[in-house]
């Protein structure tokens, strides 16, 4: 199994281009199931989760062609209504087929994703929403079975704003009869990107990016050409990497507006950050200041950046409190950061990070994508060698991570 080996202590300098957003690409590729004919997607990141998505689409009967960052999907062959356990267990976002399948075929059988390393992650709100749209929902043998004639528009209130829940229901509602209103909808940029993609296929969605999304159902959708937006979490990860190494990095092909909460915290930590139209120039300072952070739904500080920010605070001057409010178990990186010499105490959903002068390299592993990214950042500044095991977690969500860091001057390589 591949490992990443880092010799810490190199300052990052230069330019890096951000890839397409994983969490925008996943639902947008699934949305191709809502139409017949070839949809064309550009700037699709080359990631394990994208390959898993293609596997599901093909399993369901869609035709898929992939060439580098261009993916074409034709949903006209859609014939199966089932996403089996063996596919869903590899990637819980597979649950995003539920909305398109019910809308298109009037039925779906999708394996329940179960918990994962960061929390229980139920899908009750996806199912309650589908039931409001008129689907009959049954749970049996670990599967969700949904069936209906044609979905009917309805008013749906989410008691927790859920990203993939909002996306699933938005996709389902595009082909429902009448108007659907989603209240307390997730406002993440990936939700807006999906709404834009669906609208370019002929859907009638307004309000995406606010807490109230209105979907006026249409009879059918047509194929479209869609460019995937840049990944804001990859952007934030490189911004934090620049600061932790006291570096000077120009981050290109990104959307500065999507990372404002991260930029603000990094400024408070002492960084100088200048934003252009589609680029961000980040300069670290000699000393990193401690800053408290609380994860929140967008536009708050993203939970997907909490682990990376904790790595930064591990080498800051003073103490910081990091509070995780989205997922109940998202501190798995703490014990691994401690192996590198970090001084962190967890109590409930809060971590107290006491900055240390230096970290020291060690073999580490993580059980989740963003936790692995935090270990890479820590490895960049730890004295000596850090070996990161279970690299497949990183490959799920970061394209060419080690070569992008190596191009910025890091001493990092992948070994088999
Ligand atoms: N929740 C419920 N019931 C539901 C759905 C969600 O209680 O039916 C709760 C969750 O347990 C959690 C909160 O609502 O406490 C928010 O979870 P959400 O549903 O928004 O998360 P998600 O849609 O499963 C997406 C991203 C995650 C990201 C979260 C939060 C995708 C494919 N995944 O997950 O990304 O952390 O939103 O922003 O978009 C990652 O990329 O590493 C990753 C985990």
């Amino acid at each position: 199994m591949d490992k990443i080996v880092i010799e810490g202590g190199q300052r990052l300098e230069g330019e890096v281009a951000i890839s397409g957003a994983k969490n925008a690409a996943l639902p947008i590729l699934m949305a191709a199931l809502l139409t017949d004919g070839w949809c064309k997607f550009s700037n699709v990141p080359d990631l394990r989760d994208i390959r898993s998505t293609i596997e599901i689409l093909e399993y369901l009967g869609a035709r898929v062609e992939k060439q580098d960052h261009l993916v074409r999907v034709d949903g006209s062959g859609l014939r199966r209504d089932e996403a089996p356990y063996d596919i869903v267990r590899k990637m819980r976002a597979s649950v995003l087929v539920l909305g398109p399948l019910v809308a298109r075929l009037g039925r779906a059988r999708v394996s329940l994703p179960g918990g994962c390393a960061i929390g229980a992650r139920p899908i009750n709100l996806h199912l309650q929403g589908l039931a409001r749209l008129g689907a009959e929902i049954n749970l049996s043998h670990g599967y969700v079975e949904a069936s209906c004639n044609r979905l009917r528009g309805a008013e749906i209130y989410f008691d927790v704003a859920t990203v993939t829940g909002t996306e699933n229901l938005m996709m389902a509602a595009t082909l429902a009869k009448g108007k659907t209103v989603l209240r307390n909808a997730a406002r993440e940029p990936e939700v807006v990107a999906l709404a834009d993609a669906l609208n370019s296929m002929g859907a009638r969605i307004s309000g995406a990016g606010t807490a109230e999304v209105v979907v006026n159902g249409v009879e059918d959708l047509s194929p479209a050409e869609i460019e995937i937006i840049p990944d804001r979490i990859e952007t934030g990860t490189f911004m934090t990497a620049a600061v932790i190494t006291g570096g000077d990095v120009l981050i290109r092909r990104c959307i500065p507006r999507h990372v404002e909460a991260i930029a603000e915290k990094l400024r408070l930590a002492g960084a100088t950050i200048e934003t252009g139209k589609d680029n961000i120039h980040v300069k670290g300072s000699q000393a990193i200041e401690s800053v408290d952070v609380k994860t929140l739904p967008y536009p708050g500080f993203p939970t997907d950046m909490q682990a990376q920010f904790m790595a930064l605070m591990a080498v800051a001057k003073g103490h910081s409190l990091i509070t995780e409010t989205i997922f109940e178990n998202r501190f798995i990186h703490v014990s691994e950061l401690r192996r590198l010499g970090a001084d962190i105490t967890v109590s409930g959903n809060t971590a107290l990070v006491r900055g240390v002068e230096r970290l020291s390299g060690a073999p580490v592993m993580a059980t989740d994508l963003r936790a692995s990214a935090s270990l890479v950042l820590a490895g960049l500044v730890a004295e000596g060698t850090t070996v990161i095991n279970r690299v497949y977690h990183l490959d799920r969500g970061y394209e060419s991570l080690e070569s992008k860091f190596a191009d910025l001057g890091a001493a990092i390589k992948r070994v088999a």
Side-chain angles (χ1 to χ4, degrees), residues 44-58:
V44 179
D46 197 7
L47 301 171
R48 210 159 63 96
D49 274 9
I50 297 296
R51 290 191 283 279
S52 302
T53 303
I54 292 175
E55 194 188 331
I56 299 173
L57 293 172
E58 287 181 333

Side-chain angles (χ1 to χ4, degrees), residues 22-24 26-27 49 92-93 96 118-127 159-165 167 186 188 190 232-233 296-297 302-304 325-328 330 368-370 396:
K22 165 177 87 77
N23 290 347
L26 300 181
D49 274 9
R92 51 174 304 117
L96 284 164
I118 62 177
R121 304 186 74 183
I123 58 162
N124 57 314
L125 300 172
H126 303 228
L127 303 183
D159 60 359
V160 182
T162 157
V163 176
T164 48
E167 292 167 348
E188 270 65 7
E190 294 76 20
R232 66 194 166 97
I233 305 302
L296 288 169
T303 173
D304 290 345
T325 75
I326 309 293
F327 293 113
E328 66 276 18
R330 210 173 197 179
D368 132 75
L369 164 62
R370 309 303 172 185
R396 280 193 41 219

Side-chain angles (χ1 to χ4, degrees), residues 254-310:
C254 60
I255 301 181
R257 190 168 35 86
H258 289 172
V259 291
E260 269 170 7
I262 303 164
E264 196 47 33
K265 290 295 175 185
L266 293 176
R267 281 194 187 102
L268 291 170
T272 307
I273 296 178
E274 285 162 17
T275 57
K277 188 170 157 281
D278 62 355
N279 58 66
I280 305 178
H281 186 179
V282 184
K283 275 196 232 171
S285 63
Q286 285 287 323
I288 298 164
E289 303 294 333
S290 285
V291 186
D292 294 345
V293 162
K294 187 190 242 182
T295 63
L296 288 169
Y298 188 84
F301 190 91
T303 173
D304 290 345
M305 277 300 299
Q306 181 257 106
Q308 300 89 315
F309 201 80
M310 189 181 289

